[in-house]
Amino acid sequence: MMDTISFKSFSHPLSLTPEEMRERTQNFHSLMDGRRTIREYVDTPVDREVIEDCIRAAGTAPSGAHKQPWHFVAISDPEIKKQIREAAEEEEHSFYHGRAGEEWLEALRPFRTNENKPFLTIAPYLIAVFARNFDLGSDGKRSKNYYVPESVGIATGMLITALHQAGLSTLTHTPSPMGFLNKVLGRPSHERAVILLVVGHAAPDAQVPDIERKDLQDIATFI
């Protein structure tokens, strides 16, 4: 670990007029407003390079003390996806048949979700997002990470955004508990799976709930 780091000058890669800024923000909002959680996929392949670039973009996220406490596992192997689906559906069955409280199930009921997760084997890619509360050096010494949930959450949001702007659909799957992912994917015990991201092309007949997002005044305050 370095005791000191060097600094360099910064110049934003974009130099925009107020009008250009407004145009870009409007276009970006329009793009992201079209993002939806998708549960029906086709098995059309996705170039690995596209996934790599999106993960690289996620890796530019800010993090506490620049510790970058995340690890992304991109899965395209059909057999591994099958193992993940079997383990996830087992956990989800327990969730829908006892573990979840009635209030939670009632909130989910309009969305028609259940323990069956065919998208885990149909979609060409799954990306498991792991968080690290600490890193291990080659000597086995622990190095604490900071603001881990916040950092990993930001990186995951950037990953979803990058995938969406690449023309791909996603689903944030969170079977609980997710410890089985460490075993299936061979990840160390000091990593904790937080999200299993389903990635691919939406099926032509895919449907999404007809819902609305909150208005600006409901999610933001300007003082």
Side-chain angles (χ1 to χ4, degrees):
M1 178 67 65
M2 294 183 296
D3 292 329
T4 62
I5 59 174
S6 60
F7 286 77
K8 62 181 181 180
S9 299
F10 170 77
S11 178
H12 198 285
L14 295 175
S15 179
L16 305 173
T17 65
E19 293 76 16
E20 290 170 331
M21 293 174 68
R22 184 69 176 125
E23 181 180 6
R24 288 177 70 93
T25 56
Q26 288 178 327
N27 289 341
F28 186 71
H29 170 257
S30 178
L31 172 67
M32 295 310 298
D33 197 37
R35 188 209 61 77
R36 297 298 299 270
T37 293
I38 299 298
R39 289 181 168 82
E40 292 88 31
Y41 290 83
V42 292
D43 59 1
T44 304
V46 173
D47 288 342
R48 172 173 165 166
E49 290 79 7
V50 172
I51 303 299
E52 290 177 349
D53 286 340
C54 291
I55 292 176
R56 287 191 184 97
T60 68
S63 61
H66 194 56
K67 300 289 283 186
Q68 304 168 84
W70 45 67
H71 189 87
F72 304 93
V73 181
I75 307 119
S76 61
D77 184 286
E79 178 57 34
I80 297 178
K81 290 195 294 180
K82 179 175 179 289
Q83 293 177 39
I84 290 174
R85 178 180 175 181
E86 290 173 350
E89 288 185 337
E90 181 177 345
E91 295 294 351
E92 291 288 85
H93 179 83
S94 297
F95 173 84
Y96 281 95
H97 297 274
R99 187 182 299 150
E102 184 56 36
E103 183 178 0
W104 196 344
L105 292 177
E106 185 63 27
L108 290 173
R109 198 160 285 124
F111 299 95
R112 304 175 187 172
T113 60
N114 56 49
E115 66 265 32
N116 299 311
K117 310 296 180 183
F119 45 75
L120 293 175
T121 47
I122 297 174
Y125 268 98
L126 305 177
I127 302 177
V129 183
F130 288 86
R132 293 174 168 174
N133 287 327
F134 60 88
D135 289 323
L136 286 176
S138 57
D139 57 357
K141 184 177 180 181
R142 292 188 180 190
S143 173
K144 181 177 172 59
N145 293 330
Y146 305 95
Y147 297 105
V148 175
E150 296 87 348
S151 301
V152 176
I154 295 169
T156 302
M158 291 177 64
L159 176 59
I160 292 170
T161 302
L163 291 164
H164 180 69
Q165 67 85 36
L168 296 170
S169 293
T170 59
L171 179 147
T172 49
H173 185 42
T174 54
S176 178
M178 285 194 282
F180 66 86
L181 285 173
N182 290 71
K183 181 178 180 180
V184 173
L185 301 176
R187 300 310 305 168
S189 60
H190 68 284
E191 291 184 358
R192 178 176 58 86
V194 293
I195 286 177
L196 184 60
L197 198 62
V198 182
V199 180
H201 294 283
D205 57 350
Q207 293 191 330
V208 295
D210 186 10
I211 54 179
E212 296 181 356
R213 294 183 167 91
K214 292 181 178 180
D215 292 331
L216 180 64
Q217 62 265 25
D218 297 319
I219 64 172
T221 299
F222 293 81
I223 300 175

